[in-house]
Amino acid sequence: IDVDLGLAQPTIDFIRPEFHDTGICGEFRRQAADYGFILRYPEGKEEITGIAYEPWHFRYVGTPHAQIMTALDLTLEEYHDYLKDFSIDAPCCWQTASGKYAVSYLSASPGGNTQVALPPELAWTVSGDNEAGFVLTGGPQTLSPDQR
């Protein structure tokens, strides 16, 4: 889900809304990843995204994905490439306030019938990557205070 955000004011430019790094806008930016949002078209990544910097354009990618992408300074395109190094047997593990996640990538099988056995100890979601594979997200696994 993509969303364009703009500072509330009497006149709003709906094509290029103002969304600064200060005040409430800055606070949203600082907390966005904790709620699953990323800045979709960041400055300096135009050659990767193919889109000019848009400081108002955010995408909901969910937790833990937004936190991983923000911590590693990755665009969505870079993140999909990054995840290709992680399999279901050797996932990317990520700790959040709500628990531990396992994230991996699965290439689609030729012919369209892709199957994988997922470890039963986590709840799993599967998302297509709009290319030729799937992002598998397991978690959160709640950790006791002594495991954190």
Side-chain angles (χ1 to χ4, degrees):
I1 298 172
D2 286 12
V3 61
D4 288 344
L5 301 176
L7 187 61
Q9 49 195 358
T11 305
I12 298 175
D13 179 346
F14 290 102
I15 303 298
R16 297 179 59 89
E18 289 187 41
F19 201 75
H20 304 287
D21 289 331
T22 59
I24 191 69
C25 301
E27 191 59 31
F28 177 86
R29 287 181 192 286
R30 283 186 289 284
Q31 294 187 33
D34 293 334
Y35 293 93
F37 288 92
I38 59 162
L39 179 63
R40 181 61 183 98
Y41 303 113
E43 191 169 25
K45 301 273 188 159
E46 293 85 355
E47 288 201 20
I48 296 165
T49 64
I51 303 291
Y53 171 53
E54 293 187 359
W56 59 84
H57 192 114
F58 291 82
R59 175 170 287 186
Y60 181 79
V61 295
T63 302
H65 308 290
Q67 292 176 345
I68 297 169
M69 292 169 65
T70 300
L72 301 178
D73 191 31
L74 300 175
T75 64
L76 187 58
E77 292 81 4
E78 292 171 311
Y79 184 58
H80 283 158
D81 287 340
Y82 171 77
L83 287 180
K84 290 177 183 175
D85 290 337
F86 298 96
S87 68
I88 195 69
D89 297 319
C92 170
C93 295
W94 197 261
Q95 178 68 47
T96 71
S98 61
K100 185 177 180 179
Y101 287 84
V103 182
S104 60
Y105 181 82
L106 177 66
S107 294
S109 299
N113 187 9
T114 304
Q115 296 183 11
V116 63
L118 297 173
E121 63 272 6
L122 296 174
W124 291 89
T125 59
V126 179
S127 303
D129 71 350
N130 293 330
E131 291 178 5
F134 305 94
V135 176
L136 309 173
T137 308
Q141 179 181 25
T142 305
L143 302 175
S144 65
D146 58 313
Q147 292 177 306
R148 293 184 188 154

